[in-house]
Each structure stands twice: as structure tokens, then as C-alpha cells.
Amino acid sequence: MKSIASIMASLFLIMAGNLCAQELPLIPDKQGSFETLSRTDYTMPDFGFTKAEIVANLQEIKEIVSVVRKNPVLAEMKGFDGRARIYTISMKDEHSYGLPSRISFEFAAWYRLKDGREVRGLIEPPEWSVYLNKMQPGWTSGFSHKPDFFAVPEKKEVVEPGIDVYDGECYVVHDANRPDYWLPVTVKEAFDVVFAETGKITDQIQKDYMMKFLNEEWAAISAEDYNKPATLSGMISRVGTNEGFPKIMKVNPAYWDKSRPKSDIQFIYFRMIGNKKYLEQRSNEYLKANSISYHCARFEESLNMDFVRSFKPMVVK
């Protein structure tokens, strides 16, 4: 029997082929160029970073761009123009320290119009992103704000010291010699937050209804489970202790080395799909369909553990 993942991958390839069937022909052998779209306003004013810290951080970002550009697809630059675009992180993590940002690597494919002209697509081109100093990844599930609790995939592998991968494709590059970057939230901590949030409900009937179920769920938990790590459940409270479910975590402020400048990069995360057969099939389908996503797909197909390791010197200094 096929796994759900393999079925979904097959469906995706079929859909991708159908959606891209009418695209104009690519020009895969055209020599492309690369540029970094520099900016100095990529942090929110209320984050409190100085102009000097932003300028210094831009140098760190340029080093990250240089690391990524060593990838063979970006080094060859055939069939597309590449751009590195810096994005603002609009939400500040609780207990954050370093300057957060996202670098989007865009792949603007060259293709030929019906009249023979060569053009490239610069409007929302396919892209791959890496996130810097953002301690709560986008692939986590939100649980609460103030305090910021979030759920992470239960499946975690320590590839090597300083490189963790969640759910097989969500990578975190960190300094393994420091305290853990996340800490487990206890069952009592999670319930305290749920009770506090429910207490703010203004509709009395709704609040009473919710409190009734929460009190029942809390009463069913034994005292010896209060300090166990909490997991995300299907209960009204969303709090459980069962293994195999996402773990509810919080940022550990002790991870940050505050003797280092705020401009330094101390935490990196990104996605890298490990199913090479799927990635190869996807690239072939995109090429066959003249999809503008072809070059980004080639880039993702080429990623490997050496690529992941290349980020470690940026974090450990």
C-alpha cells in the first residue's frame, strides 16, 4: 500500500503538469545573472535595532547569500536570473535578541514569447527561503501568545551536533554548545494559559460552556502528570501527554549569546525535502511542461547535507 506522502506527491506531480501545460517555452541554456536586492529598512521600528546593527547585519546576510550561491544551480545560472530579496519579520519572538530576517532566493525563468522575444518573469517568481534569528519557525503550530507557546513536530532527528531536522525536512542550524533553543511546556503551564485565555471570553454563556469542559479535562489529569511535557491534542484544551503528537514548546532565552552583537546570526531554519526521487520527478515534469518553477525545483533537488553544513560557520563563531 502506498503511503499518504507518496500518494500526495503523485497527485502533486499530476496537478503540476496539468497546470503548467500551456506555459510558453523556457530558454534553459540562456546565461543568467544574479543580484542581491539590498535594503536597510527590513526591521520593524519598534524592534529597537540601531542603524549600525542593521548595517552590520547586512554584511552577515551577504555572507549567507555567498554560501547559498555556491550551490551548483546558482553557480551555473543557466535559464534564469537569480535574486536575493530581504524580507521583514513582522512579528517579534518573545525573548528575542538577534536581528531577524528572511532571505528569499528568487528564480526568474527566461522564456520565449510567441513573437520570439525573450523575457523573464519577475512578478512573484518561484523562490526558496532561509530564515535568520527567528526562533519560532513558520512550520510550527501556534498555541498561545504572551506567553508564546507553539507546537513542533514530534519527529526530531539530531543529524549531528548543531543540525536538527523535524518531520524529515524542517532544518534548524544552531550552536550545540549552548542551552537548548526550545524548552518543553509542562501540562500545568499549558492549562494555565488555556484557563487564562478562556477567562477573557466576553460572552458569558460561551465562557461558562468552555470552562465546564476545561475543568472536566483538568480534573481527569493526575497530579503526577502536571509537570510532564505537554503535547498538542484534540481535546477542548488542546493539551495532552500522549507520545506521537506535536510537542508544545517555548523559546529558551538562555540560548542567545548576548555577548555577541545583535547583528550576528545565531539561529537558522529552512526546509529541505529529502525525497530525491520525488524531487527528480518534479523537476522533469516542470521541464516537460515548460514551468517557470523548473529552476527552483532543480535548486531544491540539488540540496544535500553538505549544503546544510555550510551554514554552521555562520552560527558558531
Side-chain angles (χ1 to χ4, degrees):
M1 181 180 291
K2 288 187 176 181
S3 67
I4 293 177
S6 63
I7 292 173
M8 292 300 292
S10 298
L11 288 173
F12 173 81
L13 290 170
I14 292 171
M15 291 174 62
N18 290 336
L19 288 171
C20 299
Q22 302 302 317
E23 294 201 28
L24 295 165
L26 298 174
I27 313 174
D29 58 346
K30 183 177 178 64
Q31 184 62 51
S33 62
F34 188 93
E35 64 177 323
T36 299
L37 303 175
S38 296
R39 53 182 295 198
T40 57
D41 61 345
Y42 60 92
T43 180
M44 302 295 285
D46 59 339
F47 281 18
F49 296 106
T50 66
K51 182 177 180 180
E53 287 169 339
I54 296 172
V55 171
N57 183 248
L58 275 172
Q59 294 303 312
E60 298 281 323
I61 286 175
K62 288 178 180 178
E63 288 189 42
I64 289 287
V65 172
S66 296
V67 167
V68 175
R69 284 212 60 198
K70 292 178 181 177
N71 168 269
V73 174
L74 283 172
E76 183 185 43
M77 295 299 303
K78 286 294 184 70
F80 68 97
D81 280 0
R83 300 192 299 184
R85 186 187 299 272
I86 307 169
Y87 280 92
T88 301
I89 298 295
S90 59
M91 296 293 291
K92 189 176 183 181
D93 289 331
E94 189 175 38
H95 307 303
S96 63
Y97 175 75
L99 205 157
S101 63
R102 165 193 163 201
I103 310 175
S104 170
F105 290 86
E106 300 178 348
F107 297 79
W110 282 96
Y111 57 94
R112 194 178 305 279
L113 297 178
K114 291 181 179 180
D115 62 8
R117 284 183 296 148
E118 297 179 351
V119 296
R120 56 177 179 163
L122 293 177
I123 300 176
E124 297 185 357
E127 63 85 34
W128 178 88
S129 289
V130 57
Y131 294 79
L132 315 174
N133 288 340
K134 174 68 174 161
M135 292 288 284
Q136 184 178 339
W139 40 261
T140 60
S141 302
F143 183 83
S144 67
H145 295 290
K146 297 186 182 300
D148 283 335
F149 293 167
F150 48 92
V152 304
E154 187 269 341
K155 182 183 177 182
K156 173 189 175 183
E157 178 188 357
V158 178
V159 179
E160 61 185 57
I163 298 177
D164 298 339
V165 58
Y166 294 81
D167 216 19
E169 63 180 57
C170 304
Y171 284 80
V172 171
V173 181
H174 61 101
D175 189 336
N177 295 317
R178 300 190 206 168
D180 292 340
Y181 48 88
W182 297 331
L183 296 175
V185 171
T186 67
V187 170
K188 186 178 185 307
E189 283 179 309
F191 260 100
D192 284 346
V193 166
V194 175
F195 274 116
E197 291 182 344
T198 304
K200 296 177 183 177
I201 297 175
T202 56
D203 185 312
Q204 191 61 46
I205 295 176
Q206 182 185 3
K207 181 163 69 174
D208 291 344
Y209 179 81
M210 290 291 293
M211 281 294 186
K212 176 181 179 295
F213 284 104
L214 290 179
N215 282 315
E216 289 176 356
E217 290 182 20
W218 176 246
I221 296 176
S222 60
E224 56 264 29
D225 286 344
Y226 289 173
N227 291 318
K228 283 186 176 180
T231 58
L232 196 66
S233 77
M235 309 290 283
I236 294 294
S237 64
R238 298 170 294 145
V239 182
T241 59
N242 295 332
E243 294 184 3
F245 288 82
K247 297 179 179 179
I248 301 175
M249 308 291 279
K250 59 185 177 182
V251 170
N252 181 10
Y255 170 79
W256 292 107
D257 181 354
K258 294 187 177 180
S259 68
R260 288 173 57 175
K262 292 182 179 180
S263 57
D264 277 8
I265 296 169
Q266 301 192 42
F267 190 83
I268 298 174
Y269 78 85
F270 54 87
R271 283 184 179 272
M272 185 180 82
I273 300 172
N275 188 337
K276 293 298 183 182
K277 182 177 180 181
Y278 158 71
L279 291 173
E280 182 181 1
Q281 289 176 335
R282 185 179 67 169
S283 295
N284 290 336
E285 283 290 334
Y286 282 158
L287 177 60
K288 181 180 178 181
N290 281 306
S291 169
I292 61 171
S293 296
Y294 169 59
H295 303 291
C296 187
R298 283 199 301 133
F299 169 78
E300 292 190 67
E301 182 186 347
S302 71
L303 300 184
N304 54 32
M305 280 309 304
D306 286 338
F307 175 81
V308 179
R309 293 185 183 98
S310 67
F311 289 114
K312 287 180 70 173
M314 293 297 302
V315 172
V316 183
K317 292 184 178 179

